[in-house]
Amino acid sequence: MAGLGAVAGLKEELTCPICLGIFRSPVSLSCGHSFCKGCVQEARRGRQGPFSCPLCQACVDPPADPQPNVQLCSIVERLLNAAPRTGEEGCDAPRKEEGDSSGQQEVTLCDFCLWEPQPGVKTCLTCEASLCQAHLSKHTTKSPTKDHVLVEPCDAQSLAERRCPQHGKPLECYCQTDSVCICVLCCVIGSHKSHKIITLEKAFGQAQNIFPKTLETMKTHEAALDRSIASLLEQQEQVKAKGSLQRDQLKSLFDEMRMQLETKEEQVLKTLSHNEEQDLAEIQTEIEKQKKEKDAVSRDVQEMEALRDQKDLLLYTKTFAAIRARKHKPVPNTAGVQLPLPPVILNELTTNNALSFFQQFLSDMQSLFKALPVHQHLTCAAAHPDQTIFDSSFGSYTYSIPHNPYSLPYVRSHQSFSEGCHFWEVDTSNARCWKLGIIHKKIECYLCMCCDYLSVFLGETMITTENFSAGFKVIRVELDCRRNTLSFYNMSVKGGGPAERLKLIQAVSIPSNYPAYATFFVSDGSLKLL
């Protein structure tokens, strides 16, 4: 038994670290480690630059035909002659046993297997190589390599991440100041030398201690995000449903409008066609009538031509008298037939009127489908100081009386507007002379009612003016800071659809010099902000 153990120990020492079989034509590298000649040549094949020893990673560069180790060859030969071989030793058997894992993905292969690389079970950080189970057994029993650091199998990229990108050394320390893993040189001569440094083991322990609390915090944040996403998804579905409903309603509305427009077009075209047929029939009747008249005149002309050669006095006189006695209707001085006026008269005036009505229709449609802007509704009464006292919400406004007693007293909002959309509605039923609008970097834009004339001004420029004998009851002022527009609407009509309740008076493009303030002027009566 002792002899068998000695032989087994000797075989262990005479095993090639690469093929895991008894040395075949062993050769020695300059570092002192021995390998099979074929294994060294196979490992060196295709590599650029210096060659490293598979065991100690020492930089060696064996010749293309390394010299055999004669003494080791003799020992191997004696061993093989002394002990009968029960089977060819090597790593072929484990390759066949572990070959079933070829179907796995992302398998890290053994760096020592040259012909049929097997899946690695560990990676040596010192050797920077992955080892299969057979090479791992030899690696852990050899005294030079048994103290190497082994980790789970990882590829070359993972191994590179374990080394300092600046110094190329293993990442063995942890910088608490910057929360990064660093190498020893980073602690001594690098940018982290004045930072708080601990070992990876201590950093691992600290991370383990705070891991449950950190995980719980992340789970809480994840749950909050889930709730927020669920709320957004619900809102998304609501918007989709609302948008689909609105699209269907608008489609139905425009289909109805299109159908009525097509019906009206058909009626107008049919009327025009009928009128055209009647005119043509009347003209055709007149043509047939005048053709008959022409035929009669043509016959008289022929008889007259024939009478020219008549020598008989009686026949000549009798025939001439008969032809002359025939009566012919005079031809009208004006050519054509007097036709009635057409049912539709198209000229530049009527075309412009039709287009004007259509533009008004589009304006009404815009008012109909215009969504209410985001706003902070103004809720303060504004009135002439001699007639009305401001209510409790007057704090939002600045009231000012000009030095000139003939000027219009005005109220200006404390609140300014620089973004978004805002509107306010004013009851003007108790005022005969008033102005509503904004003051905008010393430029005013307002709607003015005075002496039954309604005018729109931008600064000193009159945009439009029109006579209105009946005063307005409610005026709506809309400020759109996004589009730089100020719009005035008449809201005096109650009931009916949105287009009937909201009539656009004028929309004015204003400069973008914000902020703007709401202004109210009155000289006869009072204004009330709704």
Side-chain angles (χ1 to χ4, degrees):
M1 295 295 293
L4 292 177
V7 172
L10 185 59
K11 284 185 178 182
E12 182 75 18
E13 294 296 331
L14 297 178
T15 300
C16 176
I18 296 180
C19 65
L20 301 181
I22 300 299
F23 283 123
R24 296 187 292 270
S25 301
V27 295
S28 298
L29 302 180
S30 59
C31 61
H33 294 116
S34 299
F35 304 90
C36 295
K37 179 180 180 180
C39 293
V40 172
Q41 291 177 340
E42 185 67 24
R44 191 176 183 273
R45 182 177 303 164
R47 295 197 180 186
Q48 301 293 333
F51 177 74
S52 300
C53 174
L55 284 181
C56 64
Q57 301 299 314
C59 184
V60 295
D61 194 7
D65 188 15
Q67 296 297 323
N69 189 326
V70 179
Q71 292 182 344
L72 195 55
C73 286
S74 178
I75 296 174
V76 169
E77 184 178 356
R78 290 188 179 185
L79 174 65
L80 295 177
N81 292 333
R85 290 161 39 173
T86 59
E88 189 67 25
E89 295 188 24
C91 58
D92 293 337
R95 288 194 193 110
K96 294 180 182 179
E97 294 174 0
E98 298 176 4
D100 297 337
S101 61
S102 59
Q104 298 179 358
Q105 297 180 354
E106 301 296 335
V107 175
T108 302
L109 300 178
C110 177
D111 292 323
F112 289 96
C113 297
L114 298 180
W115 289 276
E116 295 183 11
Q118 299 300 302
V121 295
K122 291 291 182 181
T123 296
C124 178
L125 296 182
T126 307
C127 301
E128 291 189 351
S130 298
L131 304 99
C132 62
Q133 186 60 53
H135 284 100
L136 177 64
S137 301
K138 300 296 182 180
H139 189 276
T140 54
T141 56
K142 295 288 184 178
S143 57
T145 59
K146 64 180 181 180
D147 294 331
H148 289 186
V149 179
L150 300 176
V151 296
E152 294 301 317
C154 53
D155 54 12
Q157 181 178 358
S158 300
L159 285 175
E161 293 176 356
R162 291 176 173 271
R163 289 192 171 274
C164 176
Q166 182 178 2
H167 304 105
K169 300 295 182 181
L171 300 175
E172 301 174 344
C173 302
Y174 182 78
C175 176
Q176 290 184 319
T177 305
D178 295 336
S179 299
V180 292
C181 295
I182 58 177
C183 70
V184 177
L185 290 180
C186 290
C187 304
V188 179
I189 61 174
S191 58
H192 301 270
K193 60 182 179 180
S194 59
H195 294 177
K196 186 175 181 180
I197 309 299
I198 59 176
T199 62
L200 282 180
E201 290 77 8
K202 186 175 181 181
F204 176 76
Q206 292 178 355
Q208 289 282 28
N209 292 335
I210 64 175
F211 179 84
K213 183 178 180 180
T214 304
L215 179 61
E216 186 63 27
T217 302
M218 291 183 177
K219 287 184 177 179
T220 303
H221 186 63
E222 181 185 20
L225 288 174
D226 287 338
R227 291 192 298 270
S228 178
I229 293 173
S231 176
L232 290 173
L233 291 175
E234 182 179 358
Q235 184 181 14
Q236 185 183 54
E237 293 302 322
Q238 293 175 355
V239 170
K240 289 181 179 179
K242 184 178 179 181
S244 177
L245 178 61
Q246 289 180 340
R247 283 192 297 271
D248 292 340
Q249 291 175 344
L250 284 175
K251 186 177 183 300
S252 300
L253 175 61
F254 281 105
D255 287 343
E256 179 66 22
M257 293 166 56
R258 191 180 297 108
M259 183 180 66
Q260 293 187 15
L261 184 62
E262 291 175 353
T263 302
K264 179 58 66 177
E265 178 187 10
E266 183 179 357
Q267 292 175 356
V268 173
L269 293 179
K270 185 176 181 180
T271 302
L272 288 175
S273 299
H274 180 68
N275 182 76
E276 179 184 2
E277 292 175 358
Q278 288 182 337
D279 291 345
L280 292 176
E282 186 173 350
I283 293 174
Q284 186 65 31
T285 301
E286 186 65 22
I287 290 174
E288 296 295 335
K289 181 180 178 181
Q290 293 192 10
K291 281 185 176 181
K292 290 181 179 180
E293 187 73 19
K294 178 188 174 186
D295 292 341
V297 173
S298 297
R299 286 193 300 270
D300 290 344
V301 170
Q302 292 177 0
E303 290 183 8
M304 290 291 290
E305 292 289 343
L307 188 62
R308 188 191 305 272
D309 298 329
Q310 180 63 255
K311 303 300 181 180
D312 191 319
L313 298 180
L314 176 62
L315 293 177
Y316 184 92
T317 304
K318 183 179 179 179
T319 303
F320 180 77
I323 296 173
R324 188 177 180 186
R326 296 170 187 168
K327 296 182 178 179
H328 298 284
K329 293 182 180 181
V331 179
N333 295 328
T334 58
V337 181
Q338 188 68 26
L339 299 175
L341 293 176
V344 178
I345 300 176
L346 287 180
N347 52 32
E348 184 177 358
L349 178 60
T350 55
T351 301
N352 291 338
N353 289 337
L355 291 177
S356 177
F357 287 134
F358 183 69
Q359 292 296 332
Q360 182 62 40
F361 166 76
L362 293 180
S363 177
D364 293 341
M365 290 295 293
Q366 182 180 3
S367 301
L368 177 64
F369 298 115
K370 186 175 182 180
L372 292 179
V374 179
H375 66 281
Q376 180 177 357
H377 200 96
L378 303 178
T379 56
C380 175
H384 195 283
D386 296 335
Q387 298 177 3
T388 304
I389 301 176
F390 293 96
D391 62 13
S392 59
S393 60
F394 170 67
S396 297
Y397 292 85
T398 299
Y399 179 73
S400 174
I401 300 179
H403 295 292
N404 185 355
Y406 297 100
S407 300
L408 295 178
Y410 65 88
V411 171
R412 191 193 77 174
S413 64
H414 248 338
Q415 179 186 0
S416 63
F417 309 102
S418 298
E419 59 183 10
C421 298
H422 309 270
F423 76 91
W424 48 95
E425 298 167 358
V426 183
D427 184 358
T428 65
S429 57
N430 295 324
R432 295 186 59 190
C433 186
W434 47 264
K435 293 165 64 176
L436 300 174
I438 62 169
I439 186 168
H440 189 258
K441 285 290 185 180
K442 298 182 179 181
I443 298 178
E444 294 180 82
C445 183
Y446 56 88
L447 176 71
C448 174
M449 171 64 80
C450 187
C451 299
D452 294 335
Y453 277 89
L454 190 68
S455 306
V456 178
F457 284 84
L458 177 60
E460 298 181 355
T461 303
M462 179 185 293
I463 304 299
T464 183
T465 184
E466 192 171 352
N467 179 261
F468 282 93
S469 57
F472 292 98
K473 292 183 180 180
V474 179
I475 297 296
R476 179 189 181 107
V477 183
E478 285 192 8
L479 173 62
D480 191 340
C481 300
R482 298 172 301 179
R483 297 182 176 88
N484 298 321
T485 58
L486 184 66
S487 304
F488 302 97
Y489 294 90
N490 177 17
M491 296 188 62
S492 302
V493 180
K494 298 299 181 182
E500 298 177 356
R501 296 195 306 267
L502 197 63
K503 291 288 187 178
L504 178 65
I505 300 173
Q506 186 69 38
V508 184
S509 297
I510 59 177
S512 57
N513 299 324
Y514 295 104
Y517 299 85
T519 55
F520 309 86
F521 301 79
V522 60
S523 64
D524 186 2
S526 63
L527 300 175
K528 184 179 180 181
L529 189 61
L530 302 179

